[in-house]
């Protein structure tokens, strides 16, 4: 059981908050896809990846910037290597401006059955600030086109905790999103990652980050609105209608092995983590020489595995399973007791530690205390 992640590193323009590896030279797309196919073949020939993946996820970057013929080449190659069960989840990230009726029909025919749409906001003012290339109307139309193509599993990404002057758009944007025929919602507080244009704007005083109080208020507005709309809160930043939790992303939180291919992609199996070069030119060059483009690797220590078990488990609605062998003998309950007394953690009858509603925004602090 493992998941396959493919990093498609192309973006015509970069959003001001993004620190993911991306490339704006679209003339490299064909050579990139051929290199990616070669990387897939090399791993397929290794015993531990010989069985078919249980999920496939194309992320980025902007995977929807790849022309349909190149997406077809990629999916045909994957199917030539592994016999894919028709029921497995195959996700494609897309930006609304790339979605047309023809595009939606095309990706449906290629076997994609889940689309993750990078909407971020339904406020035109906010979209302009973030330098997104789509409008709110285009986002609505994109969802409609995808559903009409027969893809019923549609996820929307939103951003909250915007800088001062933009906070007032959050409630309306969220309410509008929940009226649309989407089955999943991912929402993230805006972060100021070093090296991004947004962080440089903060340093120059062009923007002022929202306060912690605003972050907490908007997050709990989100939690309440999703619950009222019938969404299950299965991970700190993710909500799905019953049966529509992301199967691929859930693997990251429960320790399932995953293979990440493409520039900068990370892989994990049984305590071993490795990642690719963040350079598309070197990536293509290495694979043209039949050499894997690995930048580095690490083997997690028992302490690091323990800490990841705590951190990843606490993020989910399932919580930390205290029956796991690696947690036996650890002073976990002793460290958890103060948080339980404060009503921020609960010890359940099935021997799990879970965040309470009040504890959700304190997850990082509680993780640090438990580790």
């Amino acid at each position: 059981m493992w998941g396959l992640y493919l990093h498609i590193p192309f973006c015509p323009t970069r959003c001001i908050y993004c620190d993911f590896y991306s490339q704006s030279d679209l003339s490299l797309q064909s050579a990139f896809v051929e290199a990616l196919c070669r990387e897939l073949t090399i791993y397929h020939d290794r015993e531990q990846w010989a069985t078919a993946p249980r999920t496939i996820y194309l992320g980025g970057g902007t995977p929807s910037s790849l022309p349909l013929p190149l997406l077809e080449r990629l999916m045909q190659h994957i199917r030539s290597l592994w016999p894919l069960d028709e029921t497995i989840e195959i996700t494609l990230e897309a930006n609304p401006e790339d979605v047309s009726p023809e595009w939606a029909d095309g990706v449906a025919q290629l076997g994609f059955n889940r689309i993750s749409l990078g909407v971020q906001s339904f406020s035109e003012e906010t979209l302009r600030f973030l330098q997104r290339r789509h409008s709110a109307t285009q986002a609505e139309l994109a969802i409609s086109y995808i559903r009409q193509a027969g893809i019923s599993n549609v996820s929307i990404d939103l951003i909250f905790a915007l800088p001062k002057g933009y906070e007032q758009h959050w409630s309306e944007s969220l309410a509008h999103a929940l009226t649309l025929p989407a089955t999943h919602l991912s929402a993230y507080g805006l972060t100021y990652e070093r090296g991004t244009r947004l962080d440089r704007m903060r340093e120059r005083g062009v923007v002022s980050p929202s306060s912690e109080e605003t972050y907490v208020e908007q997050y709990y507005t989100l939690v309440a609105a999703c619950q009222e709309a019938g969404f299950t809160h299965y991970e700190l930043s993710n909500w799905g209608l019953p049966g529509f939790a992301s199967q691929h992303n859930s693997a990251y939180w429960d320790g399932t092995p995953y293979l990440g291919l493409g520039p900068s992609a990370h892989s994990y199996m049984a305590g071993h983590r490795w990642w690719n070069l963040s350079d598309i030119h070197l990536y293509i060059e290495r694979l043209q020489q039949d050499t894997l483009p690995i930048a580095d690797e690490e083997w997690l220590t028992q302490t690091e595995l323990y800490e990841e078990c705590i951190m990843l488990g606490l993020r989910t609605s399932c919580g930390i399973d205290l029956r796991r062998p690696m947690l036996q003998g650890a002073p976990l309950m002793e460290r958890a007791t103060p948080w339980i007394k404060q009503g921020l953690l609960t010890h359940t009858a099935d021997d799990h530690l879970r965040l309470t509603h009040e504890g959700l925004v304190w997850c990082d602090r509680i993780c640090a205390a438990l580790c």
Side-chain angles (χ1 to χ4, degrees):
M1 301 292 285
W2 60 283
L4 176 62
Y5 174 82
L6 305 179
H7 185 72
I8 312 299
F10 297 99
C11 283
T13 60
R14 180 182 283 273
C15 300
I16 62 172
Y17 53 85
C18 181
D19 71 334
F20 293 134
Y21 176 74
S22 66
Q23 165 64 239
S24 60
D25 186 355
L26 304 188
S27 69
L28 295 170
Q29 288 182 328
S30 181
F32 162 74
V33 168
E34 292 308 313
L36 185 56
C37 287
R38 183 58 193 148
E39 190 178 16
L40 282 159
T41 300
I42 292 172
Y43 276 105
H44 168 265
D45 292 342
R46 298 186 172 191
E47 182 179 357
Q48 62 268 48
W49 308 107
T51 59
R54 78 168 189 177
T55 59
I56 299 174
Y57 193 108
L58 273 65
T62 310
S64 57
S65 70
L66 275 186
L68 283 174
L70 290 180
L71 282 173
E72 181 178 15
R73 163 76 175 118
L74 185 54
M75 292 307 298
Q76 284 181 343
H77 187 71
I78 292 172
R79 286 192 166 89
S80 75
L81 298 174
W82 294 285
L84 299 183
D85 188 310
E86 292 301 317
T87 64
I88 75 166
E89 179 189 271
I90 307 179
T91 301
L92 178 69
E93 287 185 354
N95 279 355
E97 67 272 16
D98 294 328
V99 179
S100 65
E102 296 75 22
W103 181 91
D105 287 340
V107 297
Q109 291 171 17
L110 293 178
F112 291 98
N113 51 29
R114 183 176 184 270
I115 303 297
S116 179
L117 204 59
V119 176
Q120 315 313 350
S121 178
F122 285 96
S123 158
E124 298 293 355
E125 186 178 351
T126 299
L127 289 170
R128 285 193 296 271
F129 166 72
L130 295 174
Q131 298 188 14
R132 302 291 293 175
R133 297 189 304 277
H134 67 271
S135 66
T137 299
Q138 282 179 302
E140 291 181 48
L141 286 172
I143 296 169
S144 176
Y145 296 151
I146 293 164
R147 295 298 298 256
Q148 289 171 16
I151 301 175
S152 60
N153 195 349
V154 182
S155 180
I156 294 175
D157 282 1
L158 293 178
I159 294 177
F160 66 97
L162 288 152
K164 293 175 182 177
Y166 296 91
E167 306 109 312
Q168 71 272 18
H169 303 303
W170 169 243
S171 294
E172 292 181 5
S173 187
L174 173 62
H176 188 71
L178 293 173
T179 66
L180 299 172
T183 54
H184 187 275
L185 178 71
S186 297
Y188 307 95
L190 185 65
T191 57
Y192 295 72
E193 303 294 341
R194 180 170 291 278
T196 62
R197 277 183 288 166
L198 180 63
D199 191 51
R200 292 193 291 271
M201 292 165 70
R202 178 193 61 78
E203 290 177 340
R204 297 197 307 271
V206 176
V207 297
S208 299
S210 64
S211 65
E212 183 176 294
E213 292 76 14
T214 297
Y215 180 101
V216 171
E217 178 186 347
Q218 293 191 351
Y219 181 74
Y220 279 117
T221 296
L222 168 67
V223 171
C226 288
Q227 181 178 12
E228 185 176 348
F231 285 75
T232 299
H233 190 188
Y234 69 97
E235 194 271 343
L236 279 183
S237 301
N238 289 276
W239 291 258
L241 291 177
F244 286 97
S246 170
Q247 297 173 32
H248 181 86
N249 289 340
S250 294
Y252 296 145
W253 304 311
D254 66 16
T256 298
Y258 54 89
L259 181 61
L261 308 185
S264 80
H266 285 59
S267 303
Y268 175 83
M269 176 179 277
H272 180 208
R273 181 175 289 122
W274 64 101
W275 52 95
N276 279 349
L277 295 161
S278 297
D279 184 316
I280 192 169
H281 299 281
L282 286 176
Y283 172 83
I284 292 172
E285 181 182 316
R286 293 277 183 91
L287 284 160
Q288 286 175 341
Q289 298 168 0
D290 287 335
T291 302
L292 287 175
I294 296 173
D296 209 345
E297 62 182 334
E298 62 180 353
W299 289 91
L300 301 184
T301 65
Q302 286 301 116
T303 298
E304 290 169 333
L305 288 169
Y306 170 85
E307 291 174 350
E308 285 210 353
C309 178
I310 300 298
M311 177 186 67
L312 297 176
L314 202 59
R315 290 188 63 89
T316 69
S317 59
C318 293
I320 303 166
D321 186 350
L322 297 174
R323 299 164 299 182
R324 293 187 64 171
M326 75 168 59
L327 302 182
Q328 300 305 306
L332 199 49
M333 282 306 302
E334 179 183 337
R335 294 173 180 174
T337 297
W339 302 97
I340 294 172
K341 288 181 177 179
Q342 293 179 61
L344 304 179
L345 272 182
T346 184
H347 184 201
T348 66
D350 61 352
D351 212 17
H352 283 65
L353 279 176
R354 294 181 185 137
L355 294 170
T356 64
H357 176 78
E358 293 75 17
L360 292 172
V361 295
W362 300 104
C363 180
D364 289 345
R365 189 171 297 183
I366 294 172
C367 278
L370 296 182
C371 290

